[in-house]
């Protein structure tokens, strides 16, 4: 903390100029006034927008899944599945139950590898007072090593289904370009069963971690799964629900939620505008805590018993999110093992053919970090004319700032490095994917009025 210029020695600031152990680049600025009130809380994202939505305009719909996968190297599958679902809705494509099941398996693989990276390399160090996940093995032998093996299993499953672990190339509108090998899928069952047991063992370790008690009154928002716990795909179209009673079809998302620019960040803030849009909207929570609070009864049996034994439900404290992610890793392993055991023949057809037509479609899936919403307009030639992508992190950014505003008064008496470290810990509870939140929304250009040329 440092004095804030000429105002008073009582005016203090917390500056985290480079936030570590998150995907992307961001910073935190906090200013406390002379009366002790929090004047400014800005979780600033200074990565430049990457204009993916504009880049998609004019592209053939068949190109979209490969392009949107590049939005995130950690959760490319969620972007591919959301895009495919939205484009299939616009084109009137109805994929088979077998293809839907393989998509669930693909999303489970992504949950496993993404959550494992966050839990074991990025997040656990906060609870142990360490600066890096690479310092953990000396404190907890085998903990990180098992986490890396879980990640490897998730990546191998992504390779079998998607062709490669990062930015899979086998996912297409209408299904898969090539039918995944059922023998290779079934061959992963022993590893998937090991992973479920390992995730539950890691949950026992995490229960010994100490963390601040920070319960908050969250409105939780998530995509309702058709079956099971993972929300990947549903023939009737996904519905978006909340703990406040919201229950809307996917297409109605823009009527209830709005993304806005904020002056201090290139990352957009998405707010819930219901029931009164005149208030400017309110923050809400999406991600693992939201899913568990809404759908705990849909967890696979072993994961549900673990959640109950560890009193992980209901969970209104993001400092407990590390345990919730382990419950979700166990759930993803459990669902994946069940699907893999039943793979006895290559799915046929592996992709539903379609003819281009004009239309509009939207779709939402649950990425590891939360609700991901896509909408596309396409023309008669099958070219994209408009695209909107709302990632989980932009939906959580306003909630992160609200949490920080409530959390900071409790750490003001700590030394500067410790106060900053605890604020960073709170942000990492969300596992923010900062690059995803910095995307293109609108471009306004002020031009002088037309007139005669001047020398």
């Amino acid at each position: 903390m440092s004095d804030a210029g000429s105002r008073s020695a009582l005016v203090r600031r917390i500056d985290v100029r480079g936030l570590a152990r998150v995907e992307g680049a961001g910073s935190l600025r906090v200013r406390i006034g002379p009366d002790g009130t929090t004047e400014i809380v800005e979780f600033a994202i200074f990565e430049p927008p990457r204009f993916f939505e504009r880049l998609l305009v004019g592209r053939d719909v068949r190109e979209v899944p490969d392009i949107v996968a590049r939005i995130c190297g950690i959760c490319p599958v969620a972007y591919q599945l959301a895009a495919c679902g939205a484009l299939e809705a616009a084109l009137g494509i109805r994929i088979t139950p077998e293809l839907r099941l393989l998509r669930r398996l693909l999303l489970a693989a992504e949950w496993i590898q993404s959550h494992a990276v966050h839990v074991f390399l990025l997040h656990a160090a906060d609870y142990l007072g360490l600066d890096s996940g690479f310092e953990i093995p000396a404190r907890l032998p085998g903990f990180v090593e098992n986490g890396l093996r879980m990640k490897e299993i998730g990546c191998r499953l992504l390779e079998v289904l998607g062709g490669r672990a990062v930015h899979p190339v086998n996912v297409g509108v209408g299904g898969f370009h090539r039918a995944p090998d059922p023998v290779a899928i079934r061959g992963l069952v022993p590893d998937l069963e090991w992973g479920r047991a390992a995730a539950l063992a890691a949950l026992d370790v995490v229960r010994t971690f100490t963390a601040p008690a920070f319960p908050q009154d969250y409105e939780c928002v998530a995509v309702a799964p058709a079956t099971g716990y993972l929300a990947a795909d549903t023939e009737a179209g996904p519905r978006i629900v909340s703990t406040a009673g919201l229950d809307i079809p996917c297409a109605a998302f823009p009527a209830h939620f709005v993304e806005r620019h904020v002056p201090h960040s290139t990352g957009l803030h998405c707010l819930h505008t219901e029931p009164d849009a005149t208030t400017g909207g309110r923050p809400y929570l999406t991600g693992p805590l939201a899913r568990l609070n809404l759908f705990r009864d849909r967890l696979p049996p072993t994961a549900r018993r673990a959640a109950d034994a560890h009193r992980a439900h209901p969970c209104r404290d993001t400092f407990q999110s590390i345990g919730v992610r382990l419950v979700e890793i166990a759930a993803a392993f459990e669902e994946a093992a069940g699907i893999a055991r039943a793979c006895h023949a290559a799915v046929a057809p592996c992709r539903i053919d379609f003819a281009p037509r004009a239309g509009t479609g939207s779709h939402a899936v649950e990425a590891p970090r939360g609700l991901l919403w896509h909408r596309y307009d396409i023309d008669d030639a099958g070219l994209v004319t408009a695209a909107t992508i709302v990632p989980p992190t932009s939906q959580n950014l306003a909630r992160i700032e609200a949490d920080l505003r409530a959390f900071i008064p409790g750490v003001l008496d700590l030394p500067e490095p410790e106060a900053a470290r605890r604020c960073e810990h709170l942000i990492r509870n969300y596992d923010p994917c900062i690059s995803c939140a910095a995307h293109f929304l609108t471009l306004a250009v002020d031009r002088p009025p037309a007139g005669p040329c001047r020398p």
Side-chain angles (χ1 to χ4, degrees), residues 150-169:
M150 292 181 217
K151 178 188 181 299
E152 180 189 8
I153 294 169
C155 288
R156 281 163 48 200
L157 186 54
L158 286 170
E159 290 171 352
V160 169
L161 294 165
R164 63 187 186 191
V166 179
H167 303 144
V169 293

Side-chain angles (χ1 to χ4, degrees), residues 449-455:
C453 296
R454 296 181 178 180

